[in-house]
């Protein structure tokens, strides 16, 4: 690949190497780039250089401009000002096709796969192997299977992507970039749906491609992952770069300080336990698919109680959430809310006082062309209307209150939700669950993609809702989050609850052991390998 960095003087000067390891030539470079969307200045005077054989992390608050910069680097967004140098002369107009040709692949924050095609077809999309001009299905399957095996992912090549869970779809996206032989891979929050084991696997893959000279741009809110993986870290705030530094000189603390512009520790607010005799608000016995071997799930949740649900990917946490909410029809087990069965549709569950924040924000999520206010209030217009007329004053007031509570950063509640950054969309979705003051709130990964500052807001909000009497179920892949928030922790494995642990100085390792099935009753029993991979 010919790098024509001489187009601008001084641009190609190699950075002092952070670790003495061969961080190489700049593959993409932006110089003084600016981008605005209407009145919103998403990027201001941004200069960065993405070098071969290195991981370059972008961190910053929701709306700081990370995704926009990623899209500029990938050629998916054209800056208003400043050149983007992609291994060639300044490309003012470079549509995505040119960026791909130059070897830049973007794995977007919201995934873009073709649901009707199989895993193998999605991985090979755009460069299907051909025999005499025709796509060879056998070769396509073989090559894709090899790529899956090399990565060590547990993906079925023939399954339609539409049937995959979010984490699995994310894995397919990553493999697609690898299949394209991309020179630069931009990963916008690739680990938000992954569990600890998957994040480690992804880390191994990233290190592998980087060893081959690929540059990885890694956008993440998980500062531990960033510190473990990155060679260089760029901190962004309000569309500008605060600093670009070698990763080894940074700590979580120093990064949080740079991100927020002030020092803060990520601590969970102290817990107030519900009283022992608080009434049971939600109960279910033998909830499951009613297969012969399936004993189903039995649980009780008290008013004011925060129940954490931990478990590995595929352990059945999200299925539990969806079945409780009737988004997935259970074959057995009646869900009882405040003494009354909730019925058999999400609408009935919702009207009874149950709310679900889904794992996949696109699925049950937001109406993209509509405003924040509309998204928050559309499901509740009945409640917000008087004599058939929507009470606009009340609607606006409620939307503004929720935006403040959740720390949604947007110019006004009237802007369309698709103009918000990913993390801010997540907060609006959360707000949608709160409008009706649900009796029970089920939160599936409530802080996915949310920045450090806003995480703290959400934690306090969860605790406040519990103190006001709501029963809350929190599902999270971040075990620290479950431990920090929950009064009691359920651990799931293979679709069943394998442990019910009161959270009194509960150790992370105890939860992990239960999740992996290492907690054996018989002293000589072997851990079940199949479960560990589940
Ligand atoms: N298409 C668009 N139209 C209008 N505004 C936009 C558009 N895309 C992004 N913005 C705005 O640009 C700013 C930067 O957004 P960006 O998505 O880059 O943030 P981010 O750092 O990726 O945040 P997050 O951590 O939440 O993903 C935000 O204020 C956002 O609302
Ligand atoms: Mg983003």
């Amino acid at each position: 690949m010919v790098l024509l960095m001489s187009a601008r003087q001084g641009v190609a000067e190699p950075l002092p190497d952070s670790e003495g390891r061969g961080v190489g030539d700049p593959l993409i470079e932006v110089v003084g780039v600016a981008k605005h969307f209407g009145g919103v200045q998403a990027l201001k005077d941004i200069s960065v250089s993405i070098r071969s054989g290195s991981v370059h992390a972008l961190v910053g608050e929701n709306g700081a401009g990370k995704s926009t910069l990623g899209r500029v680097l990938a050629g998916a967004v054209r800056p208003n000002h400043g050149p983007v140098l992609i291994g060639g002369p300044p490309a003012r107009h470079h549509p995505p096709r040119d960026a791909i040709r130059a070897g830049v692949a973007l794995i977007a924050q919201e995934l873009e796969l073709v649901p009707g095609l199989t895993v193998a077809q999605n991985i090979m999309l755009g460069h299907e192997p051909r025999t005499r001009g025709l796509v060879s299905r056998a070769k396509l399957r073989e090559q894709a299977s090899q790529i899956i095996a090399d990565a060590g992912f547990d993906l079925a090549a023939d399954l339609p992507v539409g049937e995959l869970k979010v984490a699995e779809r994310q894995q397919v996206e990553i493999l697609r970039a690898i299949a394209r032989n991309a020179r630069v891979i931009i990963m916008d929050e690739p680990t938000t749906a992954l569990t600890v084991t998957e994040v480690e696997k992804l880390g191994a893959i990233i290190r592998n491609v980087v060893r081959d000279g690929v540059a990885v741009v890694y956008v993440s809110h998980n500062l531990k992952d960033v510190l473990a993986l990155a060679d260089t870290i760029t901190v962004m705030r309000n569309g500008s770069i605060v600093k670009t530094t070698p990763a080894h000189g940074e700590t979580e603390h120093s990064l949080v300080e740079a991100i927020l512009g002030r020092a803060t520790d990520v601590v969970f607010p102290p817990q107030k336990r519900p009283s022992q005799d608080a009434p049971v608000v939600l109960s279910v016995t033998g909830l499951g698919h009613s297969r012969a071997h399936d004993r189903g799930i039995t649980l009780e949740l008290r008013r004011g109680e925060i129940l954490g649900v931990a478990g590995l990917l595929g352990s059945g946490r999200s299925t539990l959430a969806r079945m409780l909410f009737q988004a997935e029809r259970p074959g057995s087990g009646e869900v009882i809310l405040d003494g009354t069965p909730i019925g058999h549709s999400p609408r009935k569950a919702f009207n009874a006082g149950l709310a679900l924040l889904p794992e996949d924000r696109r699925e049950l999520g937001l109406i993209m062309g509509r405003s924040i206010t509309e998204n928050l209030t559309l499901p509740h217009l009945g409640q917000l209307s008087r004599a058939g007329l929507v009470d606009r004053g009340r609607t606006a007031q409620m939307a503004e209150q929720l935006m403040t509570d959740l720390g949604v950063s947007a110019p006004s509640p009237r802007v369309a939700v698709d103009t918000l950054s990913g993390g801010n969309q997540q907060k609006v979705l959360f707000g949608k669950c709160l409008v009706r003051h649900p009796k029970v709130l089920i939160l599936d990964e409530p802080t996915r993609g949310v920045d450090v500052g806003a995480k703290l807001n959400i934690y306090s909000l969860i605790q406040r809702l519990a103190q006001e009497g709501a029963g809350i179920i929190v599902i999270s892949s971040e075990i620290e989050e479950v431990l920090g928030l929950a009064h009691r922790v359920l651990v799931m494995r293979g679709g069943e609850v394998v442990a019910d642990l009161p959270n009194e100085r509960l150790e992370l390792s105890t939860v992990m052991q239960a999740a992996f099935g290492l907690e054996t009753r018989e002293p000589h029993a072997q851990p079940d390998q199949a479960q560990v991979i589940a």
Side-chain angles (χ1 to χ4, degrees), residues 317-322 324-325 327 350 354-366 376 406 422-434 438 440-450 458 461-462 465 472-476 481:
R317 297 166 306 170
S318 294
T319 308
L320 169 64
R322 294 168 54 83
L324 286 172
F325 190 65
F350 186 71
L354 197 65
L356 167 69
L357 175 75
E359 173 189 35
D360 183 347
R361 55 173 166 253
R362 274 204 175 174
E363 183 191 0
L364 301 168
L366 301 170
L376 287 173
L406 293 160
N424 281 309
Q425 289 179 10
Q426 172 76 355
K427 294 177 208 166
V428 173
L429 195 54
F430 195 152
K432 226 175 112 177
C433 295
L434 299 180
V440 170
L441 188 56
I442 306 170
L443 304 167
D444 197 352
E445 306 287 355
T447 62
R448 168 180 302 164
V450 162
I458 288 181
L461 191 67
I462 289 175
L465 293 167
I472 297 179
I473 299 180
V474 182
I475 298 171
S476 174
E481 195 165 281

Side-chain angles (χ1 to χ4, degrees), residues 28 50 58 66-67 69-75 104-108 177 184-188 215-219:
I28 318 182
I50 307 301
L58 303 180
K66 306 177 297 293
S67 295
L69 177 55
R71 289 163 66 211
V72 164
L73 291 170
V104 185
L106 172 68
I107 301 175
V184 179
I185 304 179
I186 298 161
M187 298 185 180
D188 198 349
V216 172
V217 177
Y218 189 86
V219 180

